[in-house]
Amino acid sequence: MAQDSIMVEDHLRHPLFQNAMQSVEEAGKIINADPNIINRLKKPKRCIIVSVPVRMDDSTVKVFSGYRVQYNSTLGPYKGGIRYHQDVCLGEVVGLASLMMLKNSLMGLPYGGGKGGITVDPTKLSRTEKQNLTRRYTSEIGPFIGPQKDIPAPDVGTDSQTMAWMMDTYSQETGYAQPGVVTGKPIEIGGSLGRTGATGLGAVYVAEKAFEKKGMSLKGATIAVQGFGNVGSHAALYAFERGAKIVAISDVSGGLFNGDGLNIPDVIEHVRINKSIAGYSRGQKISNEDLLLLDVDALFPCALEGVITEKNAEKIKAKIIIEGANGPVTNDATKILHKKGVFIAPDVIANGGGVVVSYFEWVQDIMSFFWDESEINNRLKGIITKAFDRSYVMAQEKNVDMRQAAMAVSVERLQKAMLLRGLYPR
Ligand code: NAD
């Protein structure tokens, strides 16, 4: 027994989970929360570990480890992505599931938090192996998921095809088509319009609010975007369409600078053909490090975590930072930037557009009635700007930064719901 309990605590020592719980504790202090609620929020409700045997192309059978963590379901079914990566472990999945709980609560969605993953390098699998892996994993977690129970989505290493296989496996095993069991599906089988660009568009709606609060306008503003993948390229495109001047972009190959502003649709076409911004001729080369230090109105870090730290925070000249990626600005850097008067829209708000449109996909699947893209985008704007406004009011009232305020808003909603539902049995 003693050994078991040590092992569980070992998993919970994962730094990602520890950081999330530090935010929950801080949020609890800001809203003067009930300590019993904070204690409950610091433990996952259920962790599922499954073994996933897969016949490989060479006929051998490999057994992978899969996880699904159902962190909290006070507000509704569990919701969160599935990650395929060689570093996936239970502690990381618990941490990511807790962050989904916090994000879903902040966005006002009727969802709890969940996350799943398999410890595997998906780039080393053939399409058949990846399909077999996905179907067996879905079958193993099958009793625990469902449109009213737990709704997975894509994350690192998984995509709309992975979700199509999950949806098909679950539907085959239950006997009828159940599109609402996962989100991030292809349009043809119940996916939603607007899902692909949703995170980038949400980041731009948040940027518009941040500019407004700084007494500035996105139109005509100068912007640098780090990372030109799903989030970065869409954020750049939607900001460009709103009249912003995107003076710098970058990807893993390096950066591009053009003081007159880059033609973003043209760059996107170049990336579609060449798979990278490398070789695009209408801009000068700039390093990823220097891009972050440009004298621009706003910086969108949309690539990796931990790129703005206490080492470069003093040198940042941007007035606004929109965290498109998860965790690009460290906690230490946030404190330095907050003192300098830089406005940071934290990841939990700025990249929440993806899960909001996932929610719309689920609602449309349940209703079997599909909306057009403008309806989706307008509803996204309503939800994400409300989360921003609530956090802004909290930040002003409690004199805390936007990251702390967003967490406080999230924990406050969870607390209200948990107190209303009570503890079963008493
Ligand atoms: P992606 O793989 O589509 O794109 C990542 C981009 O970052 C690529 O352009 C890549 O070249 C670039 N990149 C990689 N290493 C880099 C480096 N060292 N320097 C500069 N650029 C580098 O991924 P994505 O879906 O756009 O996700 C980006 C970030 O946003 C991640 O932190 C992810 O967790 C977060 N996020 C994504 C979504 C979503 O809906 N896609 C939602 C919420 C959060």
Side-chain angles (χ1 to χ4, degrees):
M1 272 314 271
Q3 205 184 357
D4 282 351
S5 70
I6 289 167
M7 283 171 69
V8 169
E9 295 310 322
D10 272 349
H11 291 299
L12 298 187
R13 268 201 279 277
H14 193 282
L16 196 81
F17 181 61
Q18 289 298 320
N19 283 345
M21 290 309 105
Q22 198 187 330
S23 304
V24 167
E25 277 196 17
E26 270 184 27
K29 287 190 188 125
I30 293 168
I31 61 162
N32 201 14
D34 181 334
N36 291 330
I37 295 293
I38 298 300
N39 281 342
R40 285 184 66 191
L41 287 177
K42 283 165 67 181
K43 285 273 165 74
K45 185 173 152 81
R46 185 181 291 142
C47 301
I48 302 154
I49 304 177
V50 293
S51 70
V52 190
V54 177
R55 188 169 302 281
M56 308 301 281
D57 290 347
D58 64 3
S59 281
T60 60
V61 173
K62 266 198 186 165
V63 185
F64 297 90
S65 295
Y67 308 95
R68 184 71 187 168
V69 172
Q70 302 186 324
Y71 199 89
N72 184 295
S73 62
T74 306
L75 298 170
Y78 306 98
K79 179 97 193 87
I82 305 279
R83 178 171 292 196
Y84 288 179
H85 193 274
Q86 57 276 19
D87 296 338
V88 162
C89 62
L90 181 60
E92 180 186 73
V93 182
V94 174
L96 292 167
S98 70
L99 290 172
M100 283 311 297
M101 167 189 75
L102 293 165
K103 186 180 279 186
N104 291 337
S105 171
L106 172 66
M107 288 294 148
L109 304 179
Y111 286 141
K115 200 87 182 190
I118 302 180
T119 315
V120 60
D121 179 353
T123 62
K124 302 240 160 74
L125 299 179
S126 69
R127 182 185 157 91
T128 307
E129 289 166 344
K130 198 167 167 184
Q131 177 168 181
N132 291 345
L133 177 82
T134 302
R135 289 186 180 278
R136 183 61 188 251
Y137 170 70
T138 308
S139 176
E140 294 296 342
I141 63 167
F144 303 98
I145 61 171
Q148 303 303 331
K149 283 199 230 173
D150 183 353
I151 307 125
D155 190 69
V156 174
T158 54
D159 56 16
S160 59
Q161 176 61 72
T162 323
M163 294 305 112
W165 291 327
M166 288 192 81
M167 177 268 189
D168 184 67
T169 305
Y170 185 80
S171 300
Q172 291 297 337
E173 293 196 347
T174 51
Y176 57 103
Q178 300 220 44
V181 66
V182 287
T183 59
K185 298 179 294 296
I187 301 280
E188 293 78 3
I189 55 167
S192 178
L193 292 172
R195 174 66 170 76
T196 313
T199 306
L201 181 59
V204 170
Y205 287 143
V206 168
E208 284 178 323
K209 293 294 296 186
F211 272 87
E212 191 188 301
K213 296 300 178 197
K214 289 288 268 183
M216 296 158 65
S217 166
L218 182 64
K219 191 161 189 234
T222 53
I223 289 180
V225 181
Q226 186 187 49
F228 207 69
N230 178 292
V231 180
S233 68
H234 284 101
L237 178 66
Y238 295 126
F240 174 86
E241 286 175 355
R242 284 160 178 75
K245 208 199 268 188
I246 318 299
V247 295
I249 56 169
S250 68
D251 66 11
V252 70
S253 72
L256 279 175
F257 175 81
N258 183 334
D260 296 329
L262 290 151
N263 181 332
I264 297 300
D266 199 39
V267 185
I268 288 176
E269 183 54 16
H270 174 91
V271 172
R272 193 184 64 77
I273 296 164
N274 301 286
K275 309 289 171 229
S276 163
I277 63 171
Y280 187 77
S281 56
R282 293 181 205 99
Q284 302 149 234
K285 281 196 177 152
I286 182 174
S287 72
N288 260 299
E289 294 72 38
D290 289 346
L291 176 142
L292 297 172
L293 308 182
L294 286 171
D295 190 0
V296 286
D297 293 318
L299 188 60
F300 284 57
C302 298
L304 307 168
E305 60 176 48
V307 290
I308 301 176
T309 66
E310 75 274 17
K311 291 205 180 97
N312 59 0
E314 278 297 351
K315 291 186 253 165
I316 299 281
K317 297 183 200 73
K319 298 168 193 75
I320 294 169
I321 297 177
I322 307 293
E323 289 190 327
N326 281 322
V329 183
T330 64
N331 286 344
D332 290 342
T334 300
K335 284 187 194 118
I336 297 169
L337 292 163
H338 188 61
K339 256 194 216 147
K340 273 169 59 118
V342 178
F343 188 100
I344 304 177
D347 49 6
V348 66
I349 309 175
N351 68 28
V355 72
V356 172
V357 177
S358 263
Y359 162 58
F360 297 159
E361 179 176 334
W362 177 74
V363 170
Q364 293 170 88
D365 287 337
I366 289 171
M367 293 193 303
S368 296
F369 180 73
F370 290 84
W371 310 337
D372 63 28
E373 197 160 348
S374 66
E375 180 160 6
I376 285 159
N377 293 346
N378 285 336
R379 287 180 188 269
L380 166 61
K381 186 173 187 177
I383 288 184
I384 208 161
T385 55
K386 199 193 262 177
F388 180 99
D389 288 340
R390 285 197 177 133
S391 305
Y392 190 79
V393 168
M394 179 71 82
Q396 302 295 302
E397 273 178 4
K398 304 287 183 182
N399 193 24
V400 292
D401 65 45
M402 280 292 277
R403 192 186 309 283
Q404 293 168 311
M407 289 295 171
V409 170
S410 170
V411 170
E412 192 170 49
R413 179 171 177 234
L414 280 159
Q415 163 164 272
K416 277 186 190 153
M418 287 169 85
L419 289 173
L420 282 166
R421 286 187 61 167
L423 183 61
Y424 169 81
R426 285 200 70 250

